[in-house]
Amino acid sequence: MQEVLNTTELLAIPALPLIAALIVGLFGWALKETLSHTITTASVIASAALSIHVFTQVLDGSSYYGNFWEWMISGSFKVPVGMMIDQLTAIMMITVTIVSACVHIYTIGYMHGDPGYSRFFAYISGFTFSMLVLVMGNNFFTLFFGWEAVGLVSYLLIGFWFKRESANFASLKAFIVNRVGDFGFAVGILAIWYYFGTIDYREVFDHVETFVAQGHMLSFMGWQMDAITFICLALFVGAMGKSGQVPLHVWLPDSMEGPTPISALIHAATMVTAGVFMVARCSPMFEFSETALAAVTLVGAITAWMCATIGLVQNDIKRVIAYSTCSQLGYMFVACGVSAYSVGIFHLMTHAYFKALLFLAAGSVIHAVMAEQDIRKMGQLRKYMPVTYITMLIAALALSGIPPFAGYWSKDLIIEAAAVTEMGWIGQFAYFAVLSGVFMTAFYTFRMFFLTFHNSDRVPEEIKPHVHESPWVITLPLCILAVGALAAGYWGANVLHMPGVGNEVQGFFGTSIFVLEVHDPLLRLEEMEHAGSIGLMIEFGPLMLALSGIGLAVLMYLRKTSMPKSLAKAAGPLYTFLLNKWYWDELYAKVFMRPAQCLGNWLWQKADLAMIDRGILHGMIVDSVASGALRFRAMQTGMVYHYAYVMVIGVFGLLTWLLLKA
Amino acid sequence: MGSLPYNVLEFPILSLSIFLPAIGAIFIWLFVKGDNAVRWSSLIVSILTFLVTLPLWLKFDTSTAHMQFEELHPWIETYHINYQLGVDGISMPFILLTSLLTVICIVSAWECITVRVKEYMLAFLILETTLIGVFSALDAVLFYFFWEAMLIPMYLIIGIWGGKNRVYATLKFFLYTLAGSVLMLIALLAMYFKAGETFSMLDFMAYPFDFTWQFWIWIAFFIAFAVKVPMWPVHTWLPDAHTEAPTAGSVILAGILLKMGAYGFLRFSLPMLPDASQYFVPFVVALSLIAIIYISLVAMMQKDMKRLIAYSSIAHMGFVTLGTFMFTQQAIEGALFGMISHGFVAAALFLCVGVMYDRLHTREIGDYGGVVNVMPVFAAVMMLFCMANVALPGASSFIGEIMVLIGTFNPSDVAQANLSISTKWIAIAATSSVVLSACYTLWMYKRVVFGALTKDSVKTMQDMNVREFSYFVPLIILVVWLGFYPMPVLDVMHASALHLVEQSTASKLDAAAALAEHAGAAMQHAKGH
């Protein structure tokens, strides 16, 4: 069945959350808590239902492409606002709306009684709208609009508790670091318009092949680069910012200052994956630039590995998960870099469910222990909160990549794809990074899990009486997401066939993702499977590493609980290095923040005030005039309006004289 | 000037727009007594003026680059000076911006101006007359008259109702601009004699000046306009003037006065002196980039909110001058749109500072902190305009900036031919504003609005009242509406911008050479670039 989707239905999907956000945002002060959350939650649930409906239609082969209105027109520069719905969009839509609906329900319990209750709901509904625009748009400007809008909401939500200095700092940091990425994105858009004369996805993608054949080059001071590589790298800088990739990852862990529901929705499941979505969406462009693909792989691999090492030693429950998010996003980029975009998006989807679950469960824990986030002050919580315990266990197993949980299906494929890629040393490094990352992921996940729910009971006495299981509005979303964390992997792999080989229609993504046959690692894997030449290491290595990671966590945090301390002591400098997150923040403060402030101050005090004002203006011009004018001093009354009136008369007098002279 | 004035309304609407505020001012001066009566009657006059200017937009013929709503009467016939008015897509939006911002200025001064209320209101109404005059004059003498006359009310506004350092600020403002104006007068006189004793700006555009004349006239104009924009390094009067001006003075200064400089480039330099404009492209581009990057860094370090926004205005005007000298439709429309948008956003930010200043009588960032706790509505409004200042998509400022960047990345051939490096790199350098504007705007917002309530003085602050909120409403609507649907304004600009691109990318040198030959003058003339 090849049909065009219903425009009204498609428009309703982003419009519902937008309307709800506007109502609650503008009139929240007059609404009761119940009304605020009913309006927003109902609209997002409706939006999720419609998305699922659209998704089933897309499965049947329907699609949509159309423009609604012109945003800007100036000569040949035309920016329409329109939608393009295909498989890639559809899977993003259901992921975003389902996670968002769960988070809405969860928030009812989590934010209850907060003075900013309505504001919070307005923000997250607004976020859902922005994210839907981001994924549903049909050109780079709608993508950029959604991109900036989610960035704005993220900024507002990180700084939601505006009384905290740390939250305000984190929100500012998040916005500025993201803007560094947006700088690249904007440059990419400028270049796309310059070279292609359009910013429409379809028109650009259709012309990439002929464009590359024409061999456009870009030069800067004798340094040459082909245009498609320039465009892809510029776009990827944007993706790095939004998706927390090294070296623009520094904002993501700090974003944990925001309330936990948004850590789940924005900083784990949806917004931060926008970069991966963008690279997959632009696969027809990235495929034609080996350099850009190598850069994506390298950056993804470094992030996956480095953030995993930092995650090993963090003590804040949310920061552990945050570094894990950075690391997993690195995995997704590695997948895209080795041309297994479908696997990257598959991992994006499974990750959305189990990571959102992990965060929401962590939020449930934080809620129970009176806003304590330090896992050193938890322990034995499984006795008090069974639902949270079980659901978090599911999420932890999914993140570690244990079958049959969701993460296994997608992460395993990324590692296999990295194993067979023919990218030289970058491919080998990526394989090493994602493989060793598996071990670390399993270890830090279960370290956090055991310290929270098992180990010794370290909850302070005064908090102990308050520890309790969370109400149903909190546990219900946990259970819904747990179903996702359990089943999304199997469903995606075996029902939807998401990891599709090549551009064959048999895979879920069909033509929405473009892969050159020479790059396709999945095709190579399939060939190897036919030939029976896949080694045991490729097939079972990751699982073994994951199990040994869990095993080590069991040993260190369940059996010999004195081990971590002595190990930390033995590894002294390395431990401090990891605990301080590789000193990225300190580096940026030294290299960017302070020099920029010094430069700004210098330009102001020395160039503007000392040189231009005092030096040239006063020293050379005003003073020389003034010395000549000393004799007219008597006329100076010091009253400004005297001068003014004299000047008025003077100007008119002069004018009259000039005109009447003839 | 053989053809009849083109005016679809067959009614001197421009004259009415210009002189209505002045007539109103005289009326108020003579007949209205009592501060409140003065406030209300000024408000009525300014609203009436706004309503009178609306048909300019509603009845505007977007299909032509021809001057519209023209009026032509002889004024001083001996010198061929005419009372000639008319607007096109370049000047018309500024007239509406002026008449709208004047209403807002009058409302904003309602309670905070308590001394010499009548004089204050009169100054604003006279100022409105001169500003509308500048944007509708088509005769150079008339233009110069309004251009200079504008200084007087502005001088009084800063000098009488300004802050502590107002004497220094006004003198600096006056001397800077006067120095530029003198050169402009000389340039106008030079053109008058060269072009055959006419002061019509349309004749100046048509007359083929040779390169030497263009070169020197361009420099004279440049100094006059660069001071007004202002461009680095003649910008140092602006932060002082803004800091000392009363709120409404800053609003008009940032909203309209700065645009006069860039308007001058678009109305005089580009169409009248295309060859010189092309020749000076690298110079203007360099100064624009300095404005965008250097000034942004300076803005970041400011401790005084008004000074910060003043520097931010200079940085945004850098985009305008950059776009102006790329000679493409996108860049010129982007520059024009950016100016209109900046008129709303900068005005709103100054109003925001004004709202806080009225409560605590300080502009120091360090004296605030945690304002959101006591003024949530105000915090939301200021957030909106800060995000607009950062040029987030969805705000009108995004449209202007992105179009300038698009036009710079893909400039006209003549602009590129005069530059030794590809404009792509210039566009990329200018795009850094994406980061820098976020740094200075949001850092200020964080320090002023966010945070815990620790200062006793801040605790006493009350949220905005209805009057204060009322003057933000039109600005909010315009910034968001034009951010999502800029077409009503862009449509107005298309024909004129395209015409200006044709004028500025063409060369007058061949015609100048032919003219020189025809006259049989055996003078040597510069064959330029």
Side-chain angles (χ1 to χ4, degrees):
Chain A
M1 189 172 74
Q2 292 268 352
E3 273 184 29
V4 175
L5 294 159
N6 185 323
T7 314
T8 321
E9 185 181 2
L10 288 176
L11 280 174
I13 292 172
L16 284 170
L18 174 66
I19 294 165
L22 287 177
I23 294 173
V24 175
L26 294 176
F27 307 108
W29 49 274
L31 300 176
K32 286 210 175 79
E33 279 199 0
T34 2
L35 201 55
S36 295
H37 72 230
T38 312
I39 295 171
T40 46
T41 313
S43 71
V44 171
I45 290 175
S47 175
L50 290 174
S51 301
I52 293 170
H53 180 237
V54 166
F55 181 76
T56 55
Q57 287 174 296
V58 170
L59 274 182
D60 287 341
S62 304
S63 61
Y64 185 85
Y65 178 91
N67 288 326
F68 303 128
W69 86 82
E70 298 286 345
W71 192 6
M72 297 169 234
I73 301 177
S74 175
S76 54
F77 176 62
K78 289 191 178 69
V79 181
V81 174
M83 279 185 184
M84 179 165 95
I85 310 295
D86 57 10
Q87 294 90 332
L88 180 59
T89 314
I91 196 84
M92 291 299 291
M93 281 162 65
I94 59 165
T95 311
V96 169
T97 51
I98 290 173
V99 175
S100 175
C102 288
V103 168
H104 271 79
I105 300 169
Y106 180 93
T107 304
I108 297 171
Y110 193 85
M111 297 298 284
H112 179 70
D114 192 287
Y117 191 81
S118 299
R119 185 162 60 97
F120 191 88
F121 274 98
Y123 286 168
I124 54 176
S125 278
F127 169 79
T128 313
F129 157 75
S130 317
M131 193 68 203
L132 285 167
V133 172
L134 192 157
V135 297
M136 293 169 83
N138 70 350
N139 64 58
F140 285 96
F141 266 83
T142 47
L143 178 64
F144 191 69
F145 173 81
W147 195 268
E148 295 290 293
V150 292
L152 169 65
V153 187
S154 163
Y155 164 79
L156 292 171
L157 281 167
I158 295 169
F160 184 76
W161 285 313
F162 48 73
K163 288 183 184 165
R164 283 196 211 163
E165 181 55 28
S166 57
N168 297 329
F169 179 75
S171 64
L172 184 64
K173 182 174 172 184
F175 198 88
I176 290 172
V177 175
N178 264 293
R179 280 249 133 183
V180 175
D182 297 343
F183 162 72
F185 192 171
V187 169
I189 292 179
L190 296 181
I192 287 170
W193 189 75
Y194 175 76
Y195 285 110
F196 291 92
T198 170
I199 41 89
D200 183 281
Y201 287 151
R202 273 195 183 177
E203 289 169 28
V204 172
F205 297 158
D206 285 349
H207 291 101
V208 172
E209 202 159 356
T210 43
F211 174 74
V212 171
Q214 287 161 1
H216 292 268
M217 297 299 272
L218 212 73
S219 62
F220 182 61
M221 296 181 176
W223 180 62
Q224 295 269 326
M225 180 188 258
D226 59 315
I228 194 76
T229 301
F230 177 80
I231 293 173
C232 289
L233 287 178
L235 290 177
F236 181 57
V237 171
M240 282 160 66
K242 195 108 293 182
S243 295
Q245 296 298 294
V246 176
L248 300 181
H249 69 288
V250 286
W251 68 273
L252 185 53
D254 280 14
S255 76
M256 297 300 129
E257 288 292 338
T260 308
I262 63 113
S263 304
L265 176 63
I266 301 183
H267 304 119
T270 55
M271 183 190 85
V272 290
T273 61
V276 183
F277 166 77
M278 182 226 255
V279 174
R281 175 51 88 207
C282 300
S283 56
M285 294 162 81
F286 278 84
E287 276 302 289
F288 287 99
S289 171
E290 306 279 341
T291 320
L293 283 179
V296 173
T297 314
L298 187 63
V299 168
I302 293 174
T303 312
W305 192 78
M306 196 196 79
C307 289
T309 61
I310 299 174
L312 294 175
V313 297
Q314 296 302 309
N315 291 317
D316 182 317
I317 186 167
K318 285 179 75 182
R319 271 177 197 261
V320 176
I321 313 178
Y323 276 104
S324 157
T325 305
C326 278
S327 168
Q328 295 300 308
L329 290 165
Y331 275 81
M332 296 175 209
F333 278 112
V334 168
C336 293
V338 301
S339 298
Y341 306 94
S342 57
V343 181
I345 296 295
F346 182 28
H347 193 54
L348 186 162
M349 182 194 75
T350 59
H351 175 261
Y353 295 120
F354 65 70
K355 190 53 71 65
L357 174 56
L358 213 48
F359 263 121
L360 293 186
S364 174
V365 169
I366 294 166
H367 199 61
V369 294
M370 314 294 283
E372 181 57 68
Q373 301 196 4
D374 193 330
I375 45 178
R376 288 170 299 189
K377 292 180 185 160
M378 295 177 189
Q380 290 294 345
L381 289 179
R382 71 176 188 282
K383 288 185 286 191
Y384 306 100
M385 11 189 14
V387 183
T388 309
Y389 173 66
I390 299 281
T391 48
M392 195 160 188
L393 178 61
I394 293 171
L397 288 167
L399 173 58
S400 307
I402 305 297
F405 299 96
Y408 163 75
W409 302 90
S410 49
K411 202 173 10 168
D412 207 46
L413 266 172
I414 293 177
I415 298 163
E416 288 183 16
V420 300
T421 187
E422 287 170 353
M423 215 177 243
W425 67 270
I426 291 175
Q428 285 159 6
F429 171 71
Y431 182 54
F432 158 76
V434 293
L435 202 57
S436 54
V438 168
F439 176 78
M440 291 190 278
T441 307
F443 175 77
Y444 67 63
T445 310
F446 276 89
R447 169 181 173 268
M448 180 262 302
F449 182 76
F450 291 146
L451 281 174
T452 309
F453 291 103
H454 294 265
N455 208 298
S456 57
D457 188 344
R458 283 156 280 117
V459 181
E461 285 304 321
E462 66 273 18
I463 288 178
K464 221 163 248 175
H466 300 284
V467 180
H468 58 281
E469 180 59 281
S470 302
W472 71 270
V473 279
I474 288 186
T475 50
L476 175 72
L478 296 184
C479 297
I480 300 172
L481 288 170
V483 175
L486 256 172
Y490 180 84
W491 179 66
N494 296 327
V495 181
L496 290 183
H497 304 289
M498 279 181 66
V501 173
N503 300 311
E504 296 163 47
V505 193
Q506 69 195 49
F508 166 76
F509 286 105
T511 49
S512 64
I513 284 174
F514 173 84
V515 184
L516 283 180
E517 219 165 78
V518 285
H519 287 163
D520 196 343
L522 299 175
L523 195 66
R524 213 166 296 141
L525 273 173
E526 203 176 51
E527 282 163 6
M528 285 165 82
E529 208 167 339
H530 274 295
S533 63
I534 300 188
L536 276 180
M537 184 60 202
I538 291 180
E539 230 167 340
F540 296 108
L543 183 57
M544 292 300 125
L545 282 168
L547 287 174
S548 38
I550 298 174
L552 185 64
V554 169
L555 179 70
M556 284 173 68
Y557 296 98
L558 292 186
R559 298 278 176 268
K560 300 181 79 173
T561 46
S562 61
M563 238 177 102
K565 261 210 182 94
S566 46
L567 203 65
K569 204 171 269 172
L574 179 67
Y575 178 75
T576 336
F577 181 67
L578 293 181
L579 196 64
N580 286 297
K581 309 158 239 170
W582 289 44
Y583 294 102
W584 279 101
D585 287 333
E586 289 76 6
L587 180 77
Y588 282 172
K590 273 217 172 70
V591 177
F592 295 112
M593 276 164 63
R594 253 165 262 153
Q597 291 181 355
C598 287
L599 182 62
N601 237 344
W602 188 86
L603 288 173
W604 176 33
Q605 298 291 349
K606 294 286 181 280
D608 254 33
L609 296 185
M611 195 182 89
I612 297 175
D613 256 18
R614 286 195 291 273
I616 298 174
L617 198 67
H618 288 250
M620 288 156 72
I621 301 171
V622 177
D623 288 358
S624 52
V625 175
S627 59
L630 266 178
R631 62 191 75 172
F632 297 109
R633 212 172 185 175
M635 283 169 66
Q636 299 192 353
T637 57
M639 309 290 261
V640 173
Y641 55 92
H642 283 184
Y643 302 152
Y645 285 125
V646 169
M647 248 174 247
V648 177
I649 296 162
V651 168
F652 280 97
L654 199 72
L655 215 68
T656 322
W657 177 74
L658 268 173
L659 298 179
L660 297 180
K661 215 185 83 179
Chain B
M1 286 190 297
S3 60
L4 283 168
Y6 176 52
N7 188 345
V8 285
L9 290 177
E10 296 187 346
F11 173 79
I13 185 163
L14 283 173
S15 289
L16 185 62
S17 309
I18 294 171
F19 293 108
L20 185 58
I23 294 165
I26 293 168
F27 177 82
I28 292 168
W29 178 45
L30 293 176
F31 301 113
V32 182
K33 299 251 155 33
D35 287 353
N36 257 330
V38 168
R39 290 186 182 113
W40 279 106
S41 45
S42 318
L43 180 63
I44 292 167
V45 170
S46 64
I47 290 175
L48 279 177
T49 313
F50 175 65
L51 293 177
V52 167
T53 55
L54 267 184
L56 292 175
W57 181 50
L58 298 173
K59 296 282 174 190
F60 192 84
D61 181 357
T62 57
S63 64
T64 173
H66 201 283
M67 291 296 167
Q68 305 186 33
F69 309 106
E70 277 187 303
E71 291 169 39
L72 177 59
H73 305 285
W75 185 16
I76 300 159
E77 292 186 54
T78 339
Y79 288 110
H80 311 285
I81 298 172
N82 295 302
Y83 176 79
Q84 189 182 6
L85 303 174
V87 289
D88 62 356
I90 291 169
S91 48
M92 188 275 280
F94 291 109
I95 294 178
L96 271 104
L97 184 67
T98 308
S99 62
L100 175 72
L101 285 183
T102 305
V103 177
I104 289 173
C105 283
I106 285 173
V107 180
S108 79
W110 211 260
E111 281 158 12
C112 52
I113 297 296
T114 49
V115 288
R116 298 173 180 269
V117 177
K118 190 189 252 185
E119 286 82 350
Y120 186 84
M121 296 298 176
L122 296 189
F124 270 93
L125 291 175
I126 300 287
L127 188 60
E128 183 176 18
T129 287
T130 59
L131 289 169
I132 297 178
V134 163
F135 291 117
S136 40
L138 287 182
D139 183 276
V141 171
L142 195 60
F143 176 87
Y144 186 75
F145 171 76
F146 285 126
W147 177 278
E148 291 294 281
M150 176 278 300
L151 284 176
I152 296 159
M154 198 63 222
Y155 179 82
L156 296 177
I157 288 167
I158 303 176
I160 298 176
W161 294 275
K164 272 177 260 155
N165 266 326
R166 56 181 186 263
V167 178
Y168 173 72
T170 37
L171 278 177
K172 204 169 174 184
F173 162 71
F174 207 94
L175 291 178
Y176 253 119
T177 38
L178 211 62
S181 304
V182 169
L183 289 168
M184 182 163 85
L185 183 62
I186 294 167
L188 290 177
L189 289 173
M191 285 166 77
Y192 168 78
F193 288 115
K194 182 72 182 168
E197 309 215 331
T198 168
F199 273 116
S200 165
M201 285 153 63
L202 298 177
D203 290 348
F204 288 166
M205 291 179 195
Y207 184 81
F209 297 99
D210 65 37
F211 189 78
T212 320
W213 282 82
Q214 287 196 33
F215 183 87
W216 292 108
I217 295 172
W218 194 93
I219 290 178
F221 272 138
F222 176 80
I223 294 170
F225 299 145
V227 164
K228 268 284 191 308
V229 168
M231 296 174 82
W232 186 89
V234 287
H235 65 285
T236 56
W237 64 271
L238 185 74
D240 286 316
H242 265 311
T243 323
E244 299 308 325
T247 302
S250 291
V251 168
I252 285 289
L253 194 54
I256 316 287
L257 258 65
L258 303 194
K259 277 73 192 185
M260 287 166 56
Y263 175 73
F265 285 129
L266 293 165
R267 188 52 91 224
F268 287 85
S269 306
L270 260 59
M272 295 175 193
L273 317 162
D275 301 285
S277 296
Q278 292 162 23
Y279 176 77
F280 282 109
V281 162
F283 175 64
V284 177
V285 163
L287 294 187
S288 304
L289 285 183
I290 289 176
I292 294 171
I293 296 166
Y294 163 142
I295 295 293
S296 292
L297 286 167
V298 173
M300 196 169 71
M301 299 316 294
Q302 297 307 307
K303 296 172 180 70
D304 179 312
M305 286 188 274
K306 273 185 140 182
R307 210 168 259 278
L308 191 150
I309 302 166
Y311 275 108
S312 142
S313 293
I314 304 172
H316 284 108
M317 292 309 284
F319 269 93
V320 171
T321 46
L322 179 67
T324 303
F325 280 81
M326 285 297 137
F327 315 130
T328 57
Q329 199 189 351
Q330 289 87 27
I332 284 176
E333 286 179 13
L336 279 167
F337 199 91
M339 284 195 269
I340 301 296
S341 163
H342 180 260
F344 303 140
V345 177
L349 284 173
F350 279 118
L351 288 168
C352 284
V353 178
V355 165
M356 289 191 278
Y357 184 82
D358 289 345
R359 283 159 179 71
L360 292 195
H361 298 285
T362 168
R363 296 175 308 258
E364 290 287 309
I365 293 173
D367 290 341
Y368 291 88
V371 170
V372 64
N373 296 289
V374 283
M375 304 175 74
V377 178
F378 170 77
V381 170
M382 191 171 170
M383 167 57 71
L384 189 141
F385 289 111
C386 280
M387 284 299 166
N389 202 40
V390 174
L392 215 67
S396 53
S397 37
F398 171 71
I399 311 284
E401 283 193 17
I402 197 74
M403 281 172 58
V404 167
L405 291 174
I406 284 277
T408 309
F409 208 92
N410 188 17
S412 64
D413 296 339
V414 289
Q416 179 65 76
N418 281 289
L419 285 160
S420 55
I421 66 164
S422 164
T423 55
K424 290 186 201 70
W425 306 108
I426 293 161
I428 291 169
T431 312
S432 64
S433 150
V434 164
V435 183
L436 295 170
S437 64
C439 288
Y440 61 71
T441 312
L442 296 181
W443 190 29
M444 172 196 73
Y445 188 83
K446 169 184 170 282
R447 287 177 291 168
V448 171
V449 176
F450 286 145
L453 203 53
T454 51
K455 294 187 180 65
D456 287 332
S457 54
V458 178
K459 281 179 193 158
T460 62
M461 293 170 86
Q462 300 273 313
D463 210 336
M464 288 192 292
N465 58 32
V466 174
R467 178 189 62 85
E468 286 169 327
F469 189 65
S470 70
Y471 53 71
F472 284 111
V473 171
L475 296 173
I476 294 171
I477 293 172
L478 283 163
V479 165
V480 175
W481 173 45
L482 293 180
F484 282 95
Y485 195 64
M487 295 311 292
V489 175
L490 288 178
D491 279 338
V492 165
M493 295 168 179
H494 286 328
S496 303
L498 202 61
H499 181 59
L500 182 59
V501 170
E502 283 164 15
Q503 286 175 318
S504 56
T505 52
S507 172
K508 281 184 170 179
L509 297 187
D510 288 342
L515 195 71
E517 221 166 290
H518 183 73
M523 296 189 308
Q524 72 240 34
H525 46 264
K527 279 236 161 60
H529 302 252

